[in-house]
Amino acid sequence: MEKIVKQALLFDFYGELLTEHQKKVYYDVISEDMSYSEIAEEYNISRQGVFDLVRRCDKILLDYEEKLHLIDKFSKAKENIKDISEITAALKVKNSDPELTEMIEKVEKRLDEIIEDF
Amino acid sequence: MEKIVKQALLFDFYGELLTEHQKKVYYDVISEDMSYSEIAEEYNISRQGVFDLVRRCDKILLDYEEKLHLIDKFSKAKENIKDISEITAALKVKNSDPELTEMIEKVEKRLDEIIEDF
């Protein structure tokens, strides 16, 4: 996985466990809207300070993933939900019974709710 | 929610973030196979020590839930998955097209995988 994508995922799952300062700086780095120099200036720290903070946060976030495996679990669940959505869509096309269609639409509604919550 | 059920859920989600010692004692308390006195003796600590450890772990685990809301998210997803399973089972009964049945069974397989991963 590309490093920045991995960092964004880790931040998405465990970012709340960082300090406010770490959260802000790390977010600015992974959102890639600002250069390291700009971020350093923004927070009044050195460029090396930004690098060190990112390395430290990477380690903190990875440690949480190694213990909780949330990204792993959610990724697998998401793939299965995607598969179910595709099969459900195909079921709806193939089926011609209005009663079954209504039931399939209920499944679609629940799937949307799961995806929203994730 | 009953306290012991809530503690078991918290432990299930965040137990890996406790120290080895906390994990062992807390697990013995919530599994309810041993009395506080027996646990105290087992770990060579006072009964009050067990109480204090449980209170401290309750707080640690609740703090994680307040930040990550995993129990909340997973509970909602589980309810939706349960609903989908029920609708899928009813769909299978009402449907008489073997092609659709095969697709419904694929959905069932994916649902089982999600439940296993959770």
Side-chain angles (χ1 to χ4, degrees):
Chain A
M1 198 186 299
E2 203 193 331
K3 192 180 172 195
I4 200 84
V5 176
K6 175 88 180 173
Q7 285 175 319
L9 256 178
L10 284 167
F11 185 77
D12 199 29
F13 277 92
Y14 306 111
E16 285 306 313
L17 301 174
L18 299 175
T19 67
E20 282 310 306
H21 176 66
Q22 288 172 330
K23 237 191 318 191
K24 284 182 193 159
V25 179
Y26 197 81
Y27 178 78
D28 281 345
V29 169
I30 62 170
S31 64
E32 294 188 303
D33 292 332
M34 293 159 82
S35 69
Y36 271 62
S37 302
E38 285 170 328
I39 295 169
E41 203 177 322
E42 169 83 16
Y43 295 99
N44 207 18
I45 49 180
S46 65
R47 231 171 139 266
Q48 185 60 45
V50 179
F51 275 111
D52 291 344
L53 183 145
V54 169
R55 199 162 43 208
R56 171 144 178 70
C57 289
D58 279 344
K59 192 184 170 325
I60 294 171
L61 298 174
L62 273 172
D63 280 351
Y64 281 118
E65 174 61 8
E66 269 170 30
K67 286 178 178 160
L68 301 184
H69 313 286
L70 293 181
I71 296 179
D72 199 33
K73 282 185 189 177
F74 271 84
S75 305
K76 282 188 198 159
K78 267 190 178 169
E79 267 177 46
N80 277 315
I81 287 164
K82 201 174 146 247
D83 284 350
I84 294 174
S85 295
E86 282 169 11
I87 301 168
T88 308
L91 262 178
K92 212 171 146 186
V93 172
K94 284 196 188 293
N95 166 59
S96 53
D97 177 340
E99 198 188 353
L100 292 194
T101 301
E102 205 182 299
M103 291 165 81
I104 294 167
E105 280 168 356
K106 274 187 194 163
V107 170
E108 285 179 331
K109 198 166 162 284
R110 296 290 183 285
L111 286 170
D112 286 344
E113 280 176 30
I114 295 175
I115 292 162
E116 266 172 43
D117 286 344
F118 268 16
Chain B
M1 199 186 297
E2 203 194 330
K3 192 183 172 193
I4 199 84
V5 177
K6 175 90 181 171
Q7 285 175 320
L9 257 178
L10 284 167
F11 185 75
D12 200 28
F13 277 93
Y14 307 111
E16 285 304 314
L17 302 174
L18 299 175
T19 67
E20 283 308 306
H21 177 67
Q22 287 172 332
K23 239 194 307 192
K24 283 182 193 161
V25 179
Y26 196 82
Y27 178 78
D28 281 345
V29 169
I30 62 171
S31 63
E32 291 188 307
D33 292 331
M34 294 158 82
S35 70
Y36 272 62
S37 302
E38 285 169 328
I39 295 168
E41 203 177 320
E42 169 84 17
Y43 295 99
N44 208 17
I45 49 179
S46 66
R47 235 173 136 262
Q48 185 60 44
V50 179
F51 275 111
D52 291 345
L53 183 146
V54 170
R55 199 163 43 210
R56 171 142 178 71
C57 290
D58 279 344
K59 194 186 169 319
I60 293 171
L61 298 173
L62 274 170
D63 281 351
Y64 281 118
E65 174 61 10
E66 270 170 30
K67 286 178 178 160
L68 301 184
H69 312 286
L70 294 181
I71 297 179
D72 199 33
K73 283 185 187 175
F74 270 85
S75 305
K76 281 188 200 158
K78 266 190 178 170
E79 267 178 46
N80 277 315
I81 287 164
K82 202 173 145 249
D83 284 351
I84 293 173
S85 295
E86 282 170 10
I87 301 168
T88 307
L91 263 178
K92 212 172 150 186
V93 172
K94 283 197 191 292
N95 166 58
S96 53
D97 178 340
E99 196 188 355
L100 292 194
T101 301
E102 203 181 302
M103 291 166 82
I104 294 166
E105 280 167 356
K106 276 187 191 160
V107 169
E108 283 179 332
K109 198 165 161 284
R110 298 289 183 286
L111 286 170
D112 285 344
E113 280 176 28
I114 296 175
I115 292 162
E116 266 171 43
D117 286 343
F118 269 16

